[in-house]
């Protein structure tokens, strides 16, 4: 007898559906929107990400694996790493980001493009439910301005992003990475679009769905935990973001060639 496997608030997603993984990621976003975590525009951002994920073959390719390893080494070497969390990231993988923060010894900071106190609080509650002890970015007393940008994302925490040496930025629209770099920070980005400004500007871009990559990054940090600093520095220095992005674009071209005869 047929049984529905996953229920959304309105619809049924059968486990047998050929695109079940993608539909479940979409469901997380819609649920996140319904519960006040995600901005309306976040649903559009998800659509853009889905399109790139489709072109990448919806799997973590070799370039993403290499970026994840370099990111793991960078975070292990960091003195003051901070993970920035926006609405989409909280809806898609709050638990993974909390365990990444524990694994990396990194602080969590809420930072929104479509600033909203209500959404900020909802994100903090979600991260806390997943085990976060402390979440920065909500106290007006420690709020500071990141130079070189005008969007709401310029407001950062003095005890968090402003003081960080390494900042992890999940899926965002590219206005902040350059400002963070100018402020002397190393930027690690999750972005499915290898052509985006964020992807092109970050020191290390993980071109993969954050729903897959956040957990893999935490696992890689655990794997390299015993390695000495010299080995970690070597992993970082051998990584070249520009050529790795070119490899992600080649991954897309390869998929197009295999599936559509277009490349
Ligand atoms: O919560 P807020 O207010 O901070 O707003 C967050 C969004 C995401 C709405 C805001 O940052 C935004 O508008 O972003 P963009 O300009 O749409 O850019 C999002 C980028 O993330 C695009 O390059 C997408 O391809 C990429 N992306 C979308 N979904 C994922 C993703 N990358 C990794 N994993 C995903 N699941």
């Amino acid at each position: 007898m047929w049984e529905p496997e996953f229920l959304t608030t309105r619809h049924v997603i059968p486990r047998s559906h050929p695109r079940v993984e993608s539909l479940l990621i979409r469901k997380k976003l819609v649920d996140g929107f319904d519960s006040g975590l995600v901005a309306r525009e976040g649903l559009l951002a998800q659509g853009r990400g889905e399109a790139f994920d489709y072109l990448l073959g919806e799997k973590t390719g070799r370039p993403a694996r290499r970026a994840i390893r370099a990111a793991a080494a960078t975070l292990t070497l960091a003195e003051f790493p901070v993970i920035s969390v926006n609405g989409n990231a909280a809806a898609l993988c709050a638990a993974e980001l909390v365990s990444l923060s524990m694994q990396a010894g990194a602080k969590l900071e809420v930072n929104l493009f479509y600033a909203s106190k209500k959404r900020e609080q909802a994100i903090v509650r979600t991260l806390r439910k997943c085990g976060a002890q402390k979440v920065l970015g909500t106290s007006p007393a420690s709020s500071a301005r990141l130079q070189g940008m005008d969007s709401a994302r310029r407001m950062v925490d003095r005890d968090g992003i402003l003081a960080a040496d390494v900042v992890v930025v999940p899926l965002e629209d590219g206005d902040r990475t350059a400002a963070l770099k100018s402020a002397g920070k190393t930027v690690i980005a999750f972005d499915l679009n290898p052509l985006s400004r964020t992807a092109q500007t970050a020191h290390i871009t993980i071109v993969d769905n954050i729903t897959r990559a956040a957990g893999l990054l935490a696992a890689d940090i655990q794997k390299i935990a015993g390695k000495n600093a010299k080995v970690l520095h070597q992993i970082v220095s051998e990584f070249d973001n520009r050529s790795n992005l070119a490899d992600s674009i080649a991954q897309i071209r390869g998929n197009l060639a295999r599936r559509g005869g277009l490349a």
Side-chain angles (χ1 to χ4, degrees):
M1 193 178 71
W2 178 84
E3 273 188 64
E5 297 284 354
F6 303 105
L7 290 170
T8 68
T9 42
R10 290 175 284 273
H11 304 291
V12 170
I13 302 173
R15 195 185 285 278
S16 58
H17 193 286
R19 301 203 42 73
V20 64
E21 293 298 332
S22 176
L23 292 175
L24 288 176
I25 295 173
R26 196 179 275 186
K27 168 179 160 22
K28 283 187 181 180
L29 246 294
V30 173
D31 288 349
F33 176 72
D34 288 343
S35 64
L37 292 172
V38 175
R40 271 182 308 185
E41 293 80 355
L43 301 174
L44 301 175
Q46 167 67 14
R48 183 147 48 159
E50 269 183 19
F52 277 99
D53 207 8
Y54 192 83
L55 295 173
L56 285 158
E58 291 170 326
K59 58 175 196 250
T60 308
R62 278 208 195 128
R65 297 245 172 221
R66 281 197 294 268
I68 287 169
R69 192 168 157 79
T74 301
L75 283 167
T76 306
L77 289 166
E79 281 178 14
F80 199 110
V82 176
I83 302 168
S84 184
V85 184
N86 64 14
N88 285 45
L92 288 172
C93 54
E96 289 84 347
L97 291 176
V98 170
S99 72
L100 176 62
S101 80
M102 288 170 179
Q103 208 60 252
K107 293 184 189 291
L108 291 160
E109 177 168 337
V110 180
N111 181 278
L112 302 180
F113 184 79
Y114 300 102
S116 136
K117 280 282 157 214
K118 219 168 150 192
R119 223 150 51 76
E120 211 173 84
Q121 289 308 324
I123 294 168
V124 171
R125 277 198 302 277
T126 298
L127 292 169
R128 286 236 169 94
K129 255 191 233 157
C130 294
Q133 300 288 316
K134 194 169 177 194
V135 182
L136 300 169
T138 62
S139 157
S142 60
S143 175
R145 192 180 167 152
L146 186 66
Q147 294 304 313
M149 58 187 299
D150 297 321
S151 75
R153 269 207 263 264
R154 71 188 186 284
M155 300 319 292
V156 294
D157 200 303
R158 187 173 297 130
D159 303 320
I161 288 172
L162 197 71
D165 56 350
V166 176
V167 184
V168 178
V169 299
L171 43 143
E172 58 180 62
D173 72 344
D175 64 332
R176 194 164 58 132
T177 302
L180 288 169
K181 270 178 88 176
S182 300
K185 294 158 198 326
T186 298
V187 180
I188 298 168
F190 291 100
D191 196 332
L192 278 162
N193 177 2
L195 303 170
S196 78
R197 273 187 308 162
T198 295
Q200 299 271 330
T201 314
H203 293 91
I204 300 172
T205 307
I206 301 168
V207 180
D208 194 15
N209 201 314
I210 194 170
T211 56
R212 293 187 294 267
L216 292 174
L217 178 53
D220 254 23
I221 292 174
Q222 205 171 12
K223 259 191 244 158
I224 62 171
K227 298 205 189 294
N228 66 40
K230 201 172 154 204
V231 175
L232 297 177
H233 280 294
Q234 196 177 340
I235 293 173
V236 176
S237 67
E238 281 170 359
F239 180 78
D240 176 349
N241 205 42
R242 202 137 278 283
S243 78
N244 208 54
L245 286 172
D247 289 345
S248 292
I249 293 164
Q251 185 183 333
I252 291 175
R253 278 221 306 271
N255 280 332
L256 287 171
R258 264 192 305 281
R259 299 174 64 182
L262 294 172

